[in-house]
Amino acid sequence: MRLAVAALLLGLTMMATGDEGNKDPCVYEALPDNDAVLCKGLKVFYPELGNLGCMVVPECNNYRQKITYWTEPIVKFPGALDGAAYILVMVDPDAPSRSSPKARFWRHWLVTDIKGADMKKGKIQGQELSPYQPPSPPAQSGFHRYQFFVYLQEGKTISLLPKENKTRGSWNMDRFLSRFHLGEPEASTQFMTQNYQDTLHHQALGGSSEPKDKPEPR
């Protein structure tokens, strides 16, 4: 009897520790500390995933493919002032790759004249200077950061130059901010993802397991 109990306990121990080296594709992974410094007061919600702020898009359920065709996320800034107007910017600083960002910054979304009351609720309604373009990291380009910034508009009329409107890539974001005397962002965040074809589990997965530790909608 004692031998049977010992064998059972040994089996349970092996089950609990045997897969430690295998990374679960459905666990939400936080960004490393050097990237997490950008995460300040902003929440970005995508369908099925919840708040992706400061997270890596999970590998499971084809999320890294789905995010390339989902419509714009819900972006909430709980600290927005009701009487203020804000500017929302979404960029990829890693185009075409983080190791060689020759097309930095790729402008994915630019909206001005967003009311503070709407920003609190996640209603991005205003003047859309660059319509939302989903994350679309090229194959074999590694992980890309997708960064969101919210700036206080302070009554300024914001516009893009004709040459800026011709392309989204290689956008001189610093020059844009300087042109309109925009200071530090009021809030910011980012998430990371890579091309779904580069995902190790892409061929092996096929189930529909739910991500673990999924952030609660807020």
Side-chain angles (χ1 to χ4, degrees):
M1 184 67 176
R2 290 180 181 177
L3 287 174
V5 172
L8 178 60
L9 290 174
L10 178 61
L12 290 173
T13 301
M14 292 176 67
M15 288 175 62
T17 61
D19 292 332
E20 282 184 357
N22 297 330
K23 187 177 177 182
D24 191 331
C26 264
V27 171
Y28 275 76
E29 182 182 349
L31 295 186
D33 290 343
N34 60 319
D35 288 320
V37 295
L38 196 71
C39 305
K40 299 176 181 177
L42 203 59
K43 299 178 181 180
V44 177
F45 297 88
Y46 278 92
E48 301 180 34
L49 288 169
N51 181 16
L52 271 183
C54 237
M55 295 288 180
V56 178
V57 176
E59 295 179 24
C60 61
N61 297 333
N62 292 322
Y63 286 139
R64 291 180 182 175
Q65 182 179 16
K66 289 178 179 179
I67 202 169
T68 65
Y69 57 76
W70 278 333
T71 56
E72 65 270 12
I74 295 171
V75 181
K76 290 184 179 182
F77 175 29
L81 303 175
D82 287 341
Y86 293 91
I87 303 163
L88 173 64
V89 180
M90 175 187 174
V91 292
D92 175 3
D94 303 322
S97 69
R98 191 163 184 173
S99 60
S100 182
K102 299 175 183 177
R104 172 187 291 177
F105 286 87
W106 191 279
R107 193 174 65 252
H108 278 264
W109 202 12
L110 176 59
V111 187
T112 68
D113 301 286
I114 308 168
K115 295 179 181 178
D118 287 339
M119 280 242 65
K120 281 184 177 180
K121 301 173 185 175
K123 293 182 179 179
I124 305 303
Q125 299 174 336
Q127 183 69 25
E128 197 170 50
L129 301 184
S130 293
Y132 177 74
Q133 185 181 77
S136 52
Q140 299 180 352
S141 66
F143 278 93
H144 286 235
R145 293 167 292 172
Y146 292 91
Q147 301 178 334
F148 296 76
F149 301 93
V150 170
Y151 296 91
L152 193 59
Q153 191 164 338
E154 296 183 314
K156 303 178 181 78
T157 300
I158 309 297
S159 62
L160 290 171
L161 299 174
K163 63 179 181 180
E164 290 177 306
N165 268 319
K166 288 181 180 179
T167 179
R168 290 176 181 249
S170 301
W171 183 44
N172 195 323
M173 183 174 167
D174 288 339
R175 187 175 296 171
F176 169 82
L177 296 174
S178 178
R179 188 163 76 240
F180 295 105
H181 306 288
L182 300 175
E184 292 295 313
E186 299 295 307
S188 59
T189 195
Q190 64 180 340
F191 65 83
M192 287 173 55
T193 189
Q194 66 174 350
N195 188 286
Y196 72 96
Q197 292 177 323
D198 298 341
T199 299
L200 293 176
H201 294 79
H202 178 63
Q203 298 296 333
L205 284 174
S208 58
S209 54
E210 286 298 315
K212 298 174 183 177
D213 300 323
K214 180 176 179 180
E216 291 295 326
R218 292 197 178 106

